[in-house]
Amino acid sequence: MTSFTPALRLQDIVKTFPGVRALDGVSLTVLPGEVHALMGENGAGKSTLMRVLGGVLQPNSGRILIGEEPTIMASPLDAKSKGVVFIHQELSLAEELSVAENVYLGELPRKSFGRVDWDRLHEKTAAILDKLKVGFTPQTRVGDLSLANQQMVEIARALTVDAKAVIFDEPTASLTDAEKVVLFDVIADLKARGVGVIYISHRMEEIFHMTDRISILRDGQYRGTLHTAETSEEELTQLMIGRKLDLSRKINHAEVGAVALEVRGLSCGRLYSDVSFEVRRGEVLGFYGLVGAGRTEVAETLFGLRDPDAGQILLDGEEVRIGSPVEAIARGISLVPEDRKGQGLVLGMNCRDNMTLPQVDDLKAGPFVAEGAEIAIFDQYRDKLDIRTPGWRQKVGNLSGGNQQKIVIAKWLSMHPNVLIVDEPTRGIDVGSKSEIHNLIRDLAANGFAVIVISSEMPEVLHVSDRIVAMHHGKVIRTFTSEEVTEESLVQAISGIVAETAA
Amino acid sequence: MNTLNTNDLLKQGAIWGFIVLELVFFTVAGKYLSLSQNAFMDLDNMLLLFKQSAPIGIIALGMTVIMINGNIDLSVGAIFALCAVVLLDSMSWPFLTGLGDWVIPVSWGLALLTGVVLGAINGLIVWKTGVDAFIVTLGAMLGYRGLVFMFNGEQPTSHLNWTLVDFAEAQFLGLHTATWFLLGVAVALWLLMTRTVHGRNAYAIGDNREAAVNAGIRVGPHMMINFMIIGFLAGLSAVVFYSESGSVNPNDGSLYELWAITAVVLGGTKLTGGSGSIISTLGGVLAIQLLRKGLGHIGADTETVNLVIGSILIAVLFLDRQLNRKAKGELRT
């Protein structure tokens, strides 16, 4: 550490979204020439904090200081000009343009009459690519590169300016081991030049390999900073999870019936491979993993939205091919999608019409829709799921998140499915409704449905599931039963650490 | 360094291959089916084809820029008509009559200015309101067409200036005036889109708008400039065409926007933006004009021509989709 003036300091940053306090007085100090890891569970506020720092979001209160100068980051470009470079996890590239154009996007060197100075552009880019030791030229079209190389292009952007702080958000998510080595060299190089590096990752081995200090966030709150050399994986995991087990674990299983759905060796391109599991009637199977681990993609395949490359899907012991959602529904598979408002509901339609949408074809009195039958269905499920709405005429868009989710669930229940897949059932739903939804999911299983719950929230998975499938990078790492699972082992499994001994 | 892979070459060359196919087909078919004695591949016939391509061609080139940028402009036909009205009517405005033939450049200037202003209005609305360009220019299409009718009711606006007609019918190095304008515009826009910062930023915006915003590109001004360019080109197209004909009907230029879009799409520009080429659009324009002329040559009537062009457009887009469909695992839509 070359100096005691921090490269970057965040003070008491508060950021609220409607109904959520995403960041609650978070402070963070990054010294020049250090690699500072930022850790926390999904939704702990890491990304929000970095977006505040990168000028994408404005904080409600708190200060950002660069080299002890209070600064306001008005926009990403503003942040970049002040020496804070954000390397996004999701690629932010224009695929049809060349590598050089992407690296200098928004800052193309000019000649007279606004002409692009191609020679200078390619020369400067080539110099950066040289440093990164990549196997492509500035003229290559970005769309022709592999994901890993596209990530390298994104990283090359950080090297175009004289950076004071560089934020890497899960940079290794799509890199191979050889490419990781190059990336670590780049980071070491930045560090040697006195740049403060913020490194976000879930991978313990990387954190311990290359960071100097680690700050931990939990539920939007700052939980402390540790020196990497003086800590251990266990201590970190403790700090990240931290909370007391306020939710009772689901121990008393419902009567488990026959296998409703079995999946053997299912693979789909580079999204996921060799996924096998089974779910029985009366059982809740949880899918836990990081964003992008392939959980949603598996569900989409089961619902007929994607074509698998290999593997079998067996419904009630009989092999089936599911070519479309229509077939999936006909075979009794229902999917409550991740994006409730975008994929699950027609917000401008009323409660009753949303609920009966998939079966309105069958509810006919002569040529007309049978209103009476529709209302009967609505009444039945409103009582069953305790949906609080003034009446069926209410527009779904005006309901609370919890009640909207119940409408979606009711919609699929009314189709009498065998297998119900629920993706992120409580995203954006307040705490009270969350436990209602959880109880509802338990009740459904008790009533003989086979339920699959996909979630990024650990307490949720632990609370509702009888068994938990941990996924990492498109692979099933381990399947836990609710008796044997611990938070530590689950975190390790989804970080790709295979347990030495299966319990 | 070779930056094009075979797939790209195939896509860029496809439209020219299609043109060759058309030429061969019509030459052969013309021998048996045509009532006229002239060969289809006659030099005069081809020169005429270029000239006839010019009005829609000039607009289509501008449309390429707009579509690469991720927008669309449905009002070009109406701008075309309004510019034509301004061009022809201004020649008989009392305070300009003293200028003699010098009224011509003044009228041209006024017509082009009209186009630029109308385009700027579209661009400004798209920029400042954030309303989709499709809706804005749909409204503009109706509105500007309304202005055309307000001008002279259902009556055509006419003014024949023989100096102007002579200029428009002139042939320089064998090519007609209109052809020169078409080629000139193509070269200018090609330079703009491949060599300038504005052009490259337009590609970036159409390709990944969020990335462009994140990189600090000011999306709005770029889009406005492009709308002004297409306005200018709609005006230029009117100037080129009506200098010769000397009479504009209030309904002239209807459907030009759709023909222009057809040519652009045939040329391989993505509807979603970010990808496309000025030169390929020129190919698209020529392909359509060849089809029209060729089908006429072998005795098909206009209705058949439209049916064939429509079918080919859909077939081309279907093929493109099949070729471009990404690896398995893609979400079904």
Side-chain angles (χ1 to χ4, degrees):
Chain A
M1 279 161 226
T2 51
S3 114
F4 288 103
T5 318
L8 177 76
R9 218 142 59 83
L10 295 168
Q11 267 187 341
D12 296 323
I13 302 285
V14 175
K15 177 72 198 174
T16 57
F17 295 113
V20 194
R21 206 169 168 85
L23 291 174
D24 194 357
V26 175
S27 299
L28 185 70
T29 305
V30 181
L31 300 172
E34 79 162 342
V35 181
H36 196 122
L38 191 59
M39 297 196 77
E41 284 185 272
N42 289 333
K46 293 170 308 210
S47 297
T48 314
L49 184 65
M50 290 304 109
R51 286 166 74 188
V52 166
L53 180 55
V56 183
L57 297 173
Q58 295 304 316
N60 297 73
S61 70
R63 294 200 301 166
I64 301 173
L65 298 97
I66 295 177
E68 293 299 280
E69 293 271 318
T71 316
I72 291 168
M73 301 291 189
S75 68
L77 196 70
D78 192 28
K80 197 172 176 184
S81 71
K82 284 169 179 151
V84 176
V85 184
F86 190 173
I87 293 164
H88 295 262
Q89 175 184 11
E90 281 139 40
L91 298 168
S92 173
L93 299 170
E95 296 201 340
E96 299 284 346
L97 301 189
S98 73
V99 169
E101 285 176 275
N102 268 290
V103 170
Y104 280 93
L105 194 64
E107 300 163 315
L108 296 174
R110 292 164 190 251
K111 291 195 286 190
S112 54
F113 303 113
R115 287 178 302 153
V116 179
D117 190 343
W118 290 108
D119 292 340
R120 209 146 60 84
L121 175 66
H122 288 151
E123 194 182 305
K124 283 161 73 176
T125 311
I128 293 172
L129 294 184
D130 246 14
K131 215 179 291 174
L132 292 174
K133 299 185 193 72
V134 290
F136 51 89
T137 65
Q139 288 91 340
T140 316
R141 204 178 67 105
V142 165
D144 294 334
L145 295 175
S146 68
L147 262 183
N149 279 334
Q150 291 187 9
Q151 180 81 52
M152 294 312 264
V153 174
E154 189 86 40
I155 289 167
R157 281 181 174 172
L159 306 178
T160 61
V161 291
D162 186 20
K164 291 197 178 64
V166 180
I167 306 161
F168 288 91
D169 189 0
E170 298 257 12
T172 55
S174 51
L175 296 188
T176 64
D177 286 339
E179 288 158 334
K180 276 183 202 167
V181 173
V182 176
L183 174 69
F184 294 157
D185 284 348
V186 171
I187 292 177
D189 183 45
L190 287 172
K191 185 175 154 175
R193 289 182 0 213
V195 177
V197 176
I198 300 178
Y199 192 87
I200 301 176
S201 177
H202 287 96
R203 299 183 192 188
M204 294 283 186
E205 73 272 18
E206 285 172 18
I207 300 280
F208 280 95
H209 174 59
M210 52 170 304
T211 66
D212 300 308
R213 293 196 300 162
I214 304 168
S215 288
I216 291 134
L217 289 184
R218 189 202 313 147
D219 300 332
Q221 288 176 333
Y222 175 69
R223 285 288 152 189
T225 301
L226 303 168
H227 284 277
T228 311
E230 297 159 12
T231 184
S232 63
E233 280 187 25
E234 288 83 85
E235 189 181 2
L236 278 181
T237 313
Q238 284 286 333
L239 269 171
M240 274 166 64
I241 301 161
R243 73 179 74 71
K244 291 215 171 66
L245 289 184
D246 51 343
L247 294 161
S248 60
R249 207 76 69 76
K250 184 67 213 169
I251 302 294
N252 49 329
H253 302 288
E255 199 75 358
V256 174
V259 175
L261 172 76
E262 186 179 355
V263 170
R264 287 184 198 152
L266 203 64
S267 301
C268 182
R270 53 182 167 72
L271 296 170
Y272 59 85
S273 59
D274 200 17
V275 169
S276 303
F277 61 88
E278 55 172 42
V279 53
R280 295 168 176 273
R281 289 177 195 282
E283 180 185 51
V284 179
L285 181 68
F287 267 78
Y288 187 62
L290 298 174
V291 173
R295 299 163 301 166
T296 299
E297 287 75 9
V298 171
E300 282 168 349
T301 310
L302 293 178
F303 196 56
L305 284 164
R306 292 178 191 273
D307 279 324
D309 299 333
Q312 296 171 297
I313 301 172
L314 290 90
L315 271 178
D316 292 325
E318 181 192 344
E319 182 168 356
V320 291
R321 269 209 70 242
I322 300 165
S324 70
V326 178
E327 279 180 47
I329 293 169
R331 293 185 186 279
I333 299 176
S334 293
L335 174 68
V336 177
E338 189 173 4
D339 177 4
R340 182 170 61 244
K341 289 180 182 167
Q343 302 172 328
L345 291 167
V346 186
L347 290 178
M349 262 164 55
N350 65 42
C351 294
R352 180 200 69 187
D353 290 354
N354 261 294
M355 205 183 279
T356 56
L357 201 54
Q359 55 179 328
V360 77
D361 272 356
D362 302 328
L363 294 176
K364 273 188 275 195
F368 302 109
V369 172
E371 295 236 337
E374 282 195 284
I375 294 171
I377 291 175
F378 173 78
D379 285 343
Q380 182 191 348
Y381 286 96
R382 182 194 57 201
D383 297 342
K384 206 165 164 184
L385 306 189
D386 191 23
I387 300 170
R388 265 151 278 160
T389 155
W392 63 262
R393 287 183 184 82
Q394 181 75 9
K395 282 216 172 80
V396 163
N398 299 336
L399 296 181
S400 73
N403 281 314
Q404 286 183 355
Q405 188 66 293
K406 286 183 189 172
I407 297 263
V408 185
I409 294 176
K411 174 168 91 176
W412 293 116
L413 287 184
S414 66
M415 301 296 291
H416 306 293
N418 297 319
V419 180
L420 183 67
I421 307 169
V422 197
D423 197 353
E424 300 287 357
T426 59
R427 176 170 291 175
I429 291 175
D430 62 278
V431 182
S433 311
K434 263 188 191 178
S435 61
E436 273 183 42
I437 299 274
H438 291 161
N439 291 337
L440 175 60
I441 290 172
R442 291 300 324 168
D443 288 347
L444 291 177
N447 287 335
F449 293 106
V451 185
I452 297 175
V453 173
I454 300 170
S455 177
S456 299
E457 294 181 41
M458 185 167 342
E460 179 166 287
V461 189
L462 290 173
H463 181 53
V464 301
S465 315
D466 295 306
R467 287 186 302 128
I468 298 170
V469 175
M471 284 189 77
H472 170 74
H473 246 246
K475 294 210 165 54
V476 173
I477 300 297
R478 202 177 145 188
T479 304
F480 297 92
T481 65
S482 62
E483 285 85 8
E484 70 187 15
V485 70
T486 61
E487 302 196 349
E488 284 83 357
S489 58
L490 198 51
V491 166
Q492 284 175 355
I494 64 154
S495 310
I497 303 167
V498 185
E500 319 78 64
T501 50
Chain B
M1 233 159 295
N2 185 13
T3 55
L4 291 174
N5 55 30
T6 20
N7 203 358
D8 283 341
L9 274 177
L10 195 74
K11 269 160 72 181
Q12 296 217 331
I15 188 69
W16 302 104
F18 183 56
I19 288 176
V20 171
L21 194 75
E22 283 181 84
L23 285 173
V24 171
F25 175 78
F26 288 124
T27 307
V28 174
K31 283 223 175 79
Y32 300 101
L33 294 171
S34 176
L35 302 174
S36 89
Q37 293 301 306
N38 296 336
F40 183 66
M41 282 270 270
D42 178 66
L43 178 67
D44 283 339
N45 202 16
M46 288 299 119
L47 288 178
L48 198 60
L49 178 127
F50 275 110
K51 182 184 173 185
Q52 288 165 340
S53 306
I56 287 178
I58 291 173
I59 294 176
L61 292 171
M63 189 70 83
T64 314
V65 177
I66 290 282
M67 287 172 67
I68 285 172
N69 201 191
N71 288 320
I72 203 154
D73 190 344
L74 300 176
S75 67
V76 282
I79 295 180
F80 173 83
L82 200 54
C83 290
V85 167
V86 168
L87 173 80
L88 296 181
D89 202 63
S90 65
M91 289 196 185
S92 50
W93 287 350
F95 68 96
L96 292 175
T97 44
L99 292 171
D101 272 349
W102 286 106
V103 74
I104 294 170
V106 175
S107 296
W108 282 12
L110 286 172
L112 295 175
L113 185 69
T114 308
V116 172
V117 169
L118 296 178
I121 293 172
N122 284 343
L124 198 66
I125 296 174
V126 171
W127 173 12
K128 290 299 179 190
T129 64
V131 177
D132 198 86
F134 185 91
I135 302 299
V136 171
T137 58
L138 183 67
M141 174 179 100
L142 299 171
Y144 295 163
R145 183 65 67 183
L147 290 179
V148 175
F149 277 99
M150 278 161 69
F151 202 83
N152 219 351
E154 303 279 345
Q155 301 303 312
T157 309
S158 304
H159 184 92
L160 213 52
N161 179 321
W162 289 106
T163 319
L164 201 51
V165 174
D166 284 344
F167 172 77
E169 287 187 336
Q171 278 174 284
F172 178 67
L173 296 180
L175 298 178
H176 297 90
T177 312
T179 312
W180 282 110
F181 272 100
L182 178 65
L183 295 178
V185 167
V187 170
L189 287 186
W190 178 71
L191 288 173
L192 177 81
M193 293 312 281
T194 55
R195 298 293 164 87
T196 69
V197 173
H198 170 75
R200 301 317 294 173
N201 282 352
Y203 272 98
I205 292 166
D207 193 332
N208 187 340
R209 190 162 166 170
E210 205 171 322
V213 172
N214 278 341
I217 294 174
R218 298 194 61 209
V219 171
H222 281 299
M223 296 206 297
M224 178 152 162
I225 289 173
N226 287 334
F227 274 106
M228 287 164 75
I229 289 174
I230 198 173
F232 174 85
L233 292 176
L236 187 67
S237 172
V239 163
V240 169
F241 187 71
Y242 289 101
S243 290
E244 184 168 4
S245 93
S247 174
V248 51
N249 272 306
N251 267 322
D252 280 5
S254 329
L255 296 186
Y256 270 32
E257 55 280 343
L258 298 185
W259 285 114
I261 293 169
T262 308
V264 173
V265 170
L266 265 184
T269 298
K270 267 202 212 161
L271 273 172
T272 45
S275 156
S277 137
I278 296 289
I279 306 298
S280 296
T281 295
L282 196 59
V285 169
L286 293 179
I288 289 182
Q289 195 60 33
L290 259 178
L291 261 182
R292 284 180 158 182
K293 247 185 135 48
L295 289 169
H297 184 67
I298 61 174
D301 46 25
T302 327
E303 294 81 1
T304 323
V305 174
N306 286 348
L307 180 65
V308 170
I309 296 179
S311 318
I312 287 178
L313 180 71
I314 293 172
V316 164
L317 282 184
F318 174 71
L319 272 178
D320 184 63
R321 198 182 140 80
Q322 293 307 104
L323 287 174
N324 283 331
R325 219 179 141 191
K326 291 196 186 138
K328 273 186 184 179
E330 190 92 326
L331 257 187
R332 287 206 190 94
T333 43

